[in-house]
Amino acid sequence: VFQKLDIPYLTSVDGMEYAEEEDPYYETVFIMDEFNGETFNDLKNNDCRILGAPVINTIMATNEPLPYTSRPLYCTLMQSLNLCFTNFKTKEHLAHLVTLCHYMGACIRKDMSSKIDFLVTNTLHGPKYRTAVSLGTPVMKEEWIHRCWAARNRDQPCRATDDEFLVPCKSKPFEGCTLSFLGFSECEKNHMQEQAREQGGLVAEVGDPICSHLVVDESSVVSLPFQPQGKLYMVVQEWFWGSIQIEAKAAESMYVFQLVECPARMTRSSTTSSLLGKPSFSRKRSRIREETLAKLAQETDVNNSHSLPPRKRQSTDTSACISESMLDISSSTNTVVSYNTIIICFISEKIAGPVPVVTARYQVVMELLQTEKNYVGILQTILNLFKKPLDDPHQAGGPILASEDVKVIFSSLPDIEVVHRNMSDDLQLAIDQWNDSSCIGQLILKYADEFGRCYPPFVNFFEASVETLSSCETRSPRFHAFLKINQAKRECGRQTLAELLINPVQRLPRIILLLQDIKKHTEKENPNHPDVQNIQSSIDALKEVMTHINEDKRKTESQRQIFDIVYEVEGCPPTIVSSHRQFVARAEVIAVDDNLCNKGDHITFFIFSDCMEIAKRRRGIKSQSFKSPNVHGRPASVKCLKHTKLLSLSHIKKVVSITDSEDCQNAVSLFCRTPTDTQDWLYTFKVMTCTEDSISNSKILSKHRANTVCKASDENFICCVNSQDLEVCTADLGSTLGRAVRAAKKSSRKLTRAFSFSRTPRRVMQRAVTNMLSPSQQRPPT
């Protein structure tokens, strides 16, 4: 080894003869197999430079020079790592762990700072732990050090930061905690208990004295069913999900649950007496006092008729629920005149110009503006609460999701938000300057092209977005906790992210409905209004955008289905993937004859716009129903279907529908002829689905076959034939005797091939015999 490294070396039994030797030209380094024993202690006390044998193997593999350290270095598993320790009871225990880390090349720091790579602890509390959580520093258990030390003599170089060491030894958020849950539904409670156990915690019933944390649903709990005793943390559910998200126990002091006392409504007398510290009046005296005050107030109103009317309660004051620009101002009495005069002055200070007349058309336009503002608010909530944190690479504990998944989930949502925010501002400006000649149609028409640009990428891949969202939530506890935290916030209205993402899909149809309503009221008010034609143009433009989106979505869906078929069928020809080809239908059948494959084989038809892929189910593997395409969830590596034949629709001359009889049920035949064949072929199958689906598939096949051969229609493509005329029998397909006969035939064929000495293919032999025969001896083709 040292010859390969070009380093001079000497061998010794204990090396003590070189321990105190000082050479001006060379530095002596002692290589030892183990760091224990009297010899090691003597060399260490003499401040000799000591290395372990694994260090030599590492520098040979990495071509690095000998590391220089003032302490003995056995291996380099923790080389250049800065560690900090906390919450260890005895100094001897801590000294042993620190020594092992030094032997593996780590540096130990006393105080916790941003330069620390890992915090090592067995209990999740203390100032150092809180600092590590705030800095996003990984917290490791003591087991991590022992695992690394056990792997010190490996031949292959490894690091303490490898997943095999980090993943099983990383501290979980609820280790050492016993949790109970209050105020949640039974389903949600069971889910949270399962999550608590997965994150290292224990679960107890509410009120159990061993419980350390009580997680409370703050929206439903108004009182505790027990009297808290001992040191019990009562926290809201955001603490629970936040701890899972950051992969560390969050500070309980930031999520304390406090009971909001809701005393019974007190009378004016009881309130006064309680403040003054006097006993409350009786109910009778209180009622008399209230009646007296009401009488005095009534007399005061009669004597001062010019004053303002008494203020209504907020729940019954209808003016508080109506927009100021929609107030209907009238002057019927003197008191009302003075009241309305004050309101008009208030409005004139807030908005300039006359108050518009409230008409049916104006109310619908206001509804369009309000729904547009609400929609923009939903988009901004999705982007600010969900997308922006997920895009942040400096999340505590690292990124929650991969950037590719974030792009799939949110797609072109930022572009949609920009377009609708601009349209909302334009609508608000039009409302502020509203009059009888104001137009809305031209304003909506201006953004039609932008809708056609930004909506198709989102709508076309909406199913993929939702499916990616679901799969990420299933496999990532941090992402699941992140969604739970945001769902509980007021901005989301307790809606999930999937429920919020459906709004862009529904927005354009809702705008069309509102525009149709505006057009109806505009025509009633003024049939010659210039906005009538503009609104109709905007409706037509939005419908064209939706038609384009639906057509584009249909094509995209079909193309993705073709890719899934290629992944599902083993040996499927890659030429099936084409931009002009579309997937149409799928049918499950059973072969009735041996023309295409063995009788009784399960066959799957994939019908495309110009061809048909015929695949056979592999034996011993259950077939999977063809689901909607999923780019991120391809079929399993073990494929259940195997390619048999790719048949062009132009080669199918007829579809023969065989009438049902006692021995024949749901049978259909394909009468085919390809340019390379010298004879016609009749492939007969038993349809697995119901009769209606069989007829529907036959009509679909007829339609696309007519398009392939450039015909308007093909009426004679489907014909009916009696089962006796074709001698078709499907009764023996499901019988035990039929299966036994087919198995015997297959076994005999395998046995014949196994004992064949020539190994000459049948077709090659037939061609050879045919060439040897004279022309008079050759048989005419059938």
Side-chain angles (χ1 to χ4, degrees):
V1 173
F2 292 101
Q3 291 177 352
K4 294 181 180 179
L5 294 176
D6 195 19
I7 298 176
Y9 66 95
L10 298 171
T11 58
S12 174
V13 176
D14 54 7
M16 296 305 299
E17 63 269 24
Y18 305 103
E20 299 180 357
E21 181 180 349
E22 296 183 0
D23 195 320
Y25 301 102
Y26 294 98
E27 180 182 6
T28 304
V29 179
F30 295 87
I31 310 298
M32 304 190 67
D33 291 333
E34 292 294 338
F35 278 11
N36 52 33
E38 183 179 353
T39 301
F40 171 74
N41 293 330
D42 292 341
L43 294 176
K44 181 180 178 182
N45 294 333
N46 289 332
D47 295 330
C48 296
R49 187 177 173 188
I50 308 174
L51 298 178
V55 175
I56 306 302
N57 297 331
T58 301
I59 64 175
M60 283 188 61
T62 58
N63 294 325
E64 295 179 355
L66 283 173
Y68 179 82
T69 57
S70 58
R71 299 187 183 92
L73 179 65
Y74 189 83
C75 63
T76 58
L77 264 77
M78 293 186 176
Q79 188 73 31
S80 70
L81 292 182
N82 295 317
L83 308 182
C84 183
F85 289 81
T86 185
N87 297 332
F88 287 94
K89 295 182 179 180
T90 61
K91 291 185 178 180
E92 293 77 9
H93 186 195
L94 178 61
H96 174 66
L97 296 178
V98 169
T99 302
L100 294 181
C101 294
H102 282 158
Y103 288 168
M104 291 185 286
C107 297
I108 311 302
R109 305 295 181 185
K110 181 179 180 181
D111 298 324
M112 189 68 203
S113 65
S114 58
K115 297 181 180 179
I116 301 299
D117 298 313
F118 295 95
L119 175 68
V120 183
T121 181
N122 286 332
T123 55
L124 308 183
H125 61 82
K128 289 185 178 180
Y129 178 77
R130 294 264 62 90
T131 304
V133 172
S134 62
L135 295 175
T137 304
V139 180
M140 308 301 297
K141 294 183 289 188
E142 175 188 346
E143 181 188 359
W144 178 52
I145 298 175
H146 296 301
R147 277 178 175 263
C148 294
W149 182 250
R152 65 188 183 277
N153 291 319
R154 285 189 181 179
D155 296 333
Q156 298 295 330
C158 55
R159 292 283 294 171
T161 54
D162 295 342
D163 288 343
E164 64 171 314
F165 301 115
L166 287 182
V167 174
C169 302
K170 192 173 183 179
S171 295
K172 295 184 177 180
F174 304 132
E175 287 185 352
C177 301
T178 303
L179 291 80
S180 58
F181 303 90
L182 178 64
F184 301 95
S185 63
E186 193 64 27
C187 179
E188 183 68 12
K189 179 181 176 181
N190 294 334
H191 175 61
M192 296 178 75
Q193 288 178 347
E194 181 182 354
Q195 291 291 324
R197 294 187 184 97
E198 290 181 0
Q199 300 300 327
L202 300 176
V203 176
E205 295 297 328
V206 175
D208 196 321
I210 67 172
C211 179
S212 62
H213 291 76
L214 176 64
V215 184
V216 181
D217 184 3
E218 63 277 13
S219 63
S220 60
V221 175
V222 295
S223 63
L224 295 179
F226 67 99
Q227 186 64 30
Q229 297 179 357
K231 190 175 181 180
L232 174 65
Y233 293 104
M234 292 188 297
V235 292
V236 296
Q237 60 175 329
E238 188 176 354
W239 172 85
F240 179 80
W241 296 115
S243 299
I244 297 178
Q245 179 185 337
I246 64 176
E247 295 184 318
K249 187 174 70 172
E252 293 86 353
S253 58
M254 299 176 61
Y255 304 93
V256 175
F257 170 73
Q258 296 180 350
L259 288 173
V260 179
E261 297 182 359
C262 300
R265 188 173 182 179
M266 296 183 294
T267 62
R268 190 176 303 176
S269 60
S270 62
T271 305
T272 307
S273 62
S274 62
L275 292 175
L276 297 178
K278 298 179 181 181
S280 61
F281 298 104
S282 64
R283 292 184 179 181
K284 181 177 180 181
R285 295 179 61 183
S286 176
R287 179 170 49 83
I288 294 174
R289 188 170 183 273
E290 292 289 345
E291 291 175 355
T292 304
L293 291 175
K295 184 176 180 180
L296 292 174
Q298 184 177 4
E299 293 175 355
T300 304
D301 291 339
V302 172
N303 297 331
N304 300 282
S305 59
H306 63 278
S307 61
L308 293 175
R311 178 182 175 87
K312 295 181 180 180
R313 290 184 301 171
Q314 186 175 1
S315 59
T316 60
D317 190 1
T318 56
S319 63
C321 304
I322 304 176
S323 176
E324 294 173 352
S325 60
M326 299 177 62
L327 290 176
D328 186 11
I329 300 172
S330 59
S331 54
S332 58
T333 62
N334 296 333
T335 305
V336 176
V337 168
S338 60
Y339 178 61
N340 287 335
T341 304
I342 295 176
I343 294 296
I344 290 174
C345 295
F346 178 74
I347 294 176
S348 63
E349 292 177 359
K350 187 170 184 180
I351 58 174
V355 178
V357 179
V358 179
T359 61
R361 176 172 180 258
Y362 178 77
Q363 290 178 350
V364 181
V365 173
M366 284 295 299
E367 183 181 356
L368 174 62
L369 173 62
Q370 189 60 46
T371 56
E372 189 67 19
K373 286 184 176 180
N374 294 340
Y375 177 60
V376 172
I378 292 174
L379 295 180
Q380 290 176 347
T381 297
I382 296 174
L383 296 177
N384 295 331
L385 282 186
F386 294 95
K387 186 177 185 302
K388 187 176 180 180
L390 293 175
D391 285 333
D392 185 13
H394 304 292
Q395 280 275 341
I400 299 177
L401 283 186
S403 59
E404 295 80 7
D405 293 331
V406 176
K407 290 179 181 179
V408 172
I409 293 173
F410 298 99
S411 186
S412 61
L413 209 59
D415 297 335
I416 297 176
E417 188 272 336
V418 171
V419 174
H420 281 274
R421 177 157 41 87
N422 294 336
M423 191 175 77
S424 176
D425 295 339
D426 290 348
L427 281 173
Q428 182 64 58
L429 183 62
I431 292 296
D432 294 340
Q433 302 174 356
W434 185 262
N435 53 52
D436 293 340
S437 60
S438 297
C439 296
I440 295 297
Q442 191 66 28
L443 188 150
I444 305 296
L445 189 62
K446 182 175 71 172
Y447 292 96
D449 293 339
E450 294 294 326
F451 292 156
R453 177 185 60 84
C454 61
Y455 268 98
F458 183 86
V459 178
N460 289 344
F461 297 95
F462 175 73
E463 289 82 3
S465 300
V466 175
E467 195 162 353
T468 303
L469 175 64
S470 177
S471 62
C472 291
E473 185 178 3
T474 302
R475 70 172 183 263
S476 174
R478 292 186 61 204
F479 183 59
H480 177 69
F482 172 78
L483 295 179
K484 285 289 186 180
I485 292 172
N486 289 330
Q487 182 182 346
K489 293 183 179 179
R490 180 177 56 86
E491 297 91 326
C492 292
R494 292 193 171 272
Q495 288 186 333
T496 63
L497 178 56
E499 293 170 344
L500 293 174
L501 288 175
I502 195 66
N503 285 275
V505 180
Q506 302 171 343
R507 183 54 188 164
L508 290 184
R510 290 174 178 174
I511 293 179
I512 292 177
L513 293 177
L514 289 172
L515 288 177
Q516 290 173 346
D517 203 8
I518 294 174
K519 180 188 174 185
K520 180 182 68 175
H521 291 295
T522 304
E523 290 175 341
K524 285 183 180 180
E525 296 176 6
N526 184 7
N528 299 323
H529 198 287
D531 200 24
V532 174
Q533 185 60 36
N534 293 336
I535 294 176
Q536 185 59 47
S537 299
S538 62
I539 292 174
D540 295 340
L542 292 183
K543 286 184 177 180
E544 185 179 352
V545 171
M546 292 185 60
T547 302
H548 170 69
I549 291 174
N550 293 334
E551 182 66 21
D552 195 14
K553 178 177 175 58
R554 186 181 62 82
K555 291 181 179 179
T556 303
E557 187 85 5
S558 177
Q559 291 294 320
R560 293 171 61 191
Q561 286 175 331
I562 294 177
F563 279 105
D564 280 343
I565 291 171
V566 173
Y567 274 88
E568 186 180 3
V569 179
E570 180 183 357
C572 183
T575 55
I576 201 173
V577 180
S578 178
S579 59
H580 72 275
R581 182 172 292 121
Q582 297 179 9
F583 174 75
V584 178
R586 171 177 177 155
E588 302 289 342
V589 299
I590 300 177
V592 179
D593 51 32
D594 296 329
N595 293 335
L596 186 63
C597 54
N598 297 329
K599 183 178 180 179
D601 287 345
H602 288 258
I603 305 295
T604 301
F605 288 160
F606 297 100
I607 304 174
F608 299 95
S609 56
D610 62 339
C611 64
M612 183 168 62
E613 165 66 17
I614 303 175
K616 180 178 68 172
R617 185 194 303 177
R618 299 176 61 184
R619 294 186 179 272
I621 301 178
K622 295 183 179 180
S623 178
Q624 300 174 352
S625 60
F626 188 64
K627 301 178 180 180
S628 59
N630 176 15
V631 175
H632 300 277
R634 294 297 185 191
S637 57
V638 179
K639 301 182 179 182
C640 60
L641 297 176
K642 186 177 182 180
H643 168 73
T644 301
K645 190 177 185 64
L646 182 61
L647 190 63
S648 175
L649 296 186
S650 61
H651 298 161
I652 303 176
K653 304 306 178 183
K654 284 186 180 298
V655 173
V656 181
S657 179
I658 302 175
T659 56
D660 293 342
S661 63
E662 185 178 354
D663 296 333
C664 182
Q665 297 289 331
N666 297 334
V668 65
S669 297
L670 299 180
F671 184 71
C672 307
R673 176 187 290 176
T674 62
T676 58
D677 290 336
T678 59
Q679 62 179 0
D680 298 331
W681 292 96
L682 188 67
Y683 306 128
T684 306
F685 309 95
K686 179 182 179 181
V687 182
M688 300 289 292
T689 56
C690 61
T691 307
E692 289 77 6
D693 292 341
S694 176
I695 296 174
S696 175
N697 289 333
S698 299
K699 292 181 178 179
I700 292 173
L701 196 62
S702 174
K703 174 186 174 182
H704 288 280
R705 197 260 180 185
N707 293 335
T708 303
V709 297
C710 301
K711 288 184 178 181
S713 61
D714 197 348
E715 299 178 354
N716 299 324
F717 182 66
I718 302 176
C719 62
C720 293
V721 178
N722 292 328
S723 58
Q724 293 82 4
D725 297 340
L726 294 178
E727 298 181 354
V728 177
C729 179
T730 62
D732 61 339
L733 290 178
S735 63
T736 305
L737 179 60
R739 287 195 296 267
V741 171
R742 291 193 296 271
K745 288 182 178 180
K746 186 176 180 181
S747 300
S748 64
R749 286 195 297 266
K750 289 183 178 180
L751 188 62
T752 303
R753 288 196 299 267
F755 284 93
S756 176
F757 294 99
S758 61
R759 303 285 183 178
T760 306
R762 183 183 298 178
R763 293 183 179 179
V764 177
M765 179 64 75
Q766 289 177 349
R767 285 199 301 268
V769 173
T770 303
N771 294 331
M772 293 172 60
L773 295 175
S774 61
S776 60
Q777 294 174 322
Q778 294 181 7
R779 295 181 179 179
T782 58

Coordinates of all heavy atoms in Angstrom, one line a residue, residues 361 434-441 518-519 521-535:
R361 N -79.4 45.7 -14.9 CA -78.1 45.5 -15.7 C -76.9 45.9 -14.8 O -75.9 45.2 -14.8 CB -78.2 46.4 -16.9 CG -76.9 46.4 -17.8 CD -77.0 47.2 -19.1 NE -75.8 47.1 -19.9 CZ -75.0 48.2 -20.0 NH1 -75.3 49.3 -19.3 NH2 -73.9 48.1 -20.7
W434 N -69.5 54.6 -14.1 CA -70.6 54.0 -14.8 C -71.7 55.0 -15.1 O -72.0 56.0 -14.4 CB -71.2 53.0 -13.8 CG -72.4 52.2 -14.4 CD1 -73.7 52.4 -14.3 CD2 -72.2 51.1 -15.3 NE1 -74.4 51.5 -15.0 CE2 -73.5 50.7 -15.6 CE3 -71.1 50.4 -15.8 CZ2 -73.8 49.6 -16.5 CZ3 -71.4 49.3 -16.6 CH2 -72.7 48.9 -17.0
N435 N -72.3 54.9 -16.3 CA -73.5 55.6 -16.8 C -74.3 54.7 -17.7 O -73.9 53.6 -18.0 CB -73.1 56.9 -17.4 CG -72.1 56.8 -18.5 OD1 -72.3 56.0 -19.4 ND2 -70.9 57.5 -18.4
D436 N -75.3 55.3 -18.3 CA -76.2 54.5 -19.1 C -75.5 54.0 -20.4 O -75.9 53.0 -21.0 CB -77.5 55.3 -19.5 CG -78.3 55.5 -18.3 OD1 -78.2 54.8 -17.3 OD2 -79.2 56.5 -18.3
S437 N -74.5 54.7 -20.9 CA -73.9 54.3 -22.1 C -72.6 53.5 -21.9 O -71.9 53.2 -22.8 CB -73.5 55.6 -22.9 OG -72.6 56.4 -22.2
S438 N -72.3 53.1 -20.7 CA -71.1 52.3 -20.4 C -71.2 50.9 -21.0 O -72.3 50.3 -21.1 CB -70.9 52.2 -18.9 OG -70.7 53.4 -18.3
C439 N -70.1 50.4 -21.5 CA -70.0 49.1 -22.2 C -69.1 48.2 -21.4 O -68.0 48.6 -20.9 CB -69.5 49.3 -23.6 SG -70.7 50.3 -24.6
I440 N -69.5 46.9 -21.4 CA -68.7 45.9 -20.7 C -68.1 44.9 -21.7 O -67.1 44.3 -21.5 CB -69.5 45.2 -19.6 CG1 -69.9 46.2 -18.5 CG2 -68.8 44.0 -19.0 CD1 -68.7 46.7 -17.8
G441 N -68.9 44.7 -22.8 CA -68.5 43.6 -23.8 C -67.1 43.8 -24.4 O -66.3 42.9 -24.5
I518 N -76.2 39.9 -18.5 CA -76.1 41.3 -18.8 C -76.7 41.7 -20.1 O -77.3 42.7 -20.3 CB -74.6 41.7 -18.7 CG1 -74.0 41.5 -17.3 CG2 -74.3 43.1 -19.2 CD1 -72.5 41.7 -17.2
K519 N -76.5 40.8 -21.1 CA -77.0 41.1 -22.5 C -78.6 41.1 -22.4 O -79.2 42.0 -23.0 CB -76.5 40.0 -23.5 CG -77.1 40.2 -24.9 CD -76.8 39.0 -25.8 CE -77.4 39.2 -27.1 NZ -77.2 38.0 -28.0
H521 N -80.6 41.9 -19.9 CA -81.1 43.1 -19.2 C -80.7 44.3 -20.1 O -81.5 45.3 -20.1 CB -80.4 43.2 -17.9 CG -80.9 42.2 -16.9 ND1 -82.3 42.1 -16.5 CD2 -80.3 41.2 -16.3 CE1 -82.4 41.1 -15.6 NE2 -81.2 40.5 -15.5
T522 N -79.6 44.3 -20.8 CA -79.3 45.5 -21.7 C -80.3 45.6 -22.8 O -80.8 46.7 -23.1 CB -77.9 45.3 -22.3 OG1 -77.0 45.1 -21.2 CG2 -77.5 46.5 -23.1
E523 N -80.7 44.5 -23.4 CA -81.7 44.5 -24.5 C -83.1 45.0 -23.9 O -83.8 45.6 -24.6 CB -81.9 43.1 -25.1 CG -80.6 42.7 -25.9 CD -80.8 41.3 -26.5 OE1 -81.6 40.6 -25.9 OE2 -80.0 41.0 -27.4
K524 N -83.4 44.6 -22.7 CA -84.7 45.1 -22.1 C -84.7 46.6 -21.9 O -85.7 47.3 -22.1 CB -84.9 44.4 -20.8 CG -85.4 42.9 -20.9 CD -85.7 42.3 -19.6 CE -86.1 40.9 -19.7 NZ -86.5 40.3 -18.4
E525 N -83.6 47.1 -21.4 CA -83.5 48.5 -21.1 C -83.4 49.4 -22.4 O -84.0 50.4 -22.5 CB -82.3 48.8 -20.2 CG -82.5 48.2 -18.8 CD -81.2 48.4 -17.9 OE1 -80.3 49.2 -18.4 OE2 -81.2 47.9 -16.8
N526 N -82.6 48.9 -23.3 CA -82.3 49.7 -24.6 C -81.9 48.7 -25.7 O -80.8 48.3 -25.7 CB -81.2 50.7 -24.4 CG -81.0 51.6 -25.6 OD1 -81.8 51.5 -26.6 ND2 -80.0 52.5 -25.5
P527 N -82.8 48.3 -26.5 CA -82.5 47.3 -27.6 C -81.4 47.8 -28.5 O -80.7 47.0 -29.1 CB -83.8 47.1 -28.3 CG -84.8 47.5 -27.4 CD -84.2 48.6 -26.6
N528 N -81.2 49.1 -28.7 CA -80.2 49.7 -29.6 C -78.9 50.1 -28.8 O -78.1 50.8 -29.4 CB -80.8 50.9 -30.2 CG -82.0 50.6 -31.1 OD1 -82.1 49.6 -31.7 ND2 -83.0 51.5 -31.1
H529 N -78.7 49.6 -27.7 CA -77.5 49.9 -26.9 C -76.3 49.3 -27.6 O -76.3 48.2 -28.1 CB -77.6 49.3 -25.5 CG -76.7 49.9 -24.5 ND1 -75.3 49.7 -24.6 CD2 -76.9 50.8 -23.5 CE1 -74.7 50.4 -23.6 NE2 -75.7 51.1 -22.9
P530 N -75.2 50.1 -27.7 CA -74.0 49.6 -28.5 C -73.4 48.4 -27.8 O -72.6 47.6 -28.4 CB -73.1 50.8 -28.5 CG -73.6 51.7 -27.4 CD -75.0 51.5 -27.3
D531 N -73.7 48.2 -26.5 CA -73.0 47.1 -25.8 C -73.6 45.7 -26.1 O -73.0 44.7 -25.8 CB -73.1 47.4 -24.3 CG -72.0 46.6 -23.5 OD1 -71.0 46.2 -24.1 OD2 -72.3 46.3 -22.3
V532 N -74.8 45.7 -26.7 CA -75.4 44.4 -27.0 C -74.6 43.6 -28.0 O -74.3 42.4 -27.7 CB -76.8 44.7 -27.6 CG1 -77.4 43.3 -28.1 CG2 -77.8 45.3 -26.6
Q533 N -74.1 44.3 -29.0 CA -73.3 43.6 -30.0 C -71.9 43.2 -29.4 O -71.4 42.1 -29.7 CB -73.1 44.4 -31.3 CG -72.4 43.7 -32.4 CD -73.1 42.4 -32.9 OE1 -74.3 42.4 -32.9 NE2 -72.3 41.4 -33.2
N534 N -71.4 44.1 -28.6 CA -70.1 43.8 -28.0 C -70.1 42.6 -27.0 O -69.2 41.8 -27.0 CB -69.6 45.1 -27.2 CG -69.3 46.2 -28.1 OD1 -69.0 46.0 -29.3 ND2 -69.4 47.4 -27.6
I535 N -71.2 42.6 -26.2 CA -71.4 41.4 -25.3 C -71.5 40.1 -26.1 O -70.9 39.1 -25.7 CB -72.6 41.7 -24.4 CG1 -72.3 42.9 -23.5 CG2 -72.9 40.4 -23.6 CD1 -73.5 43.2 -22.6

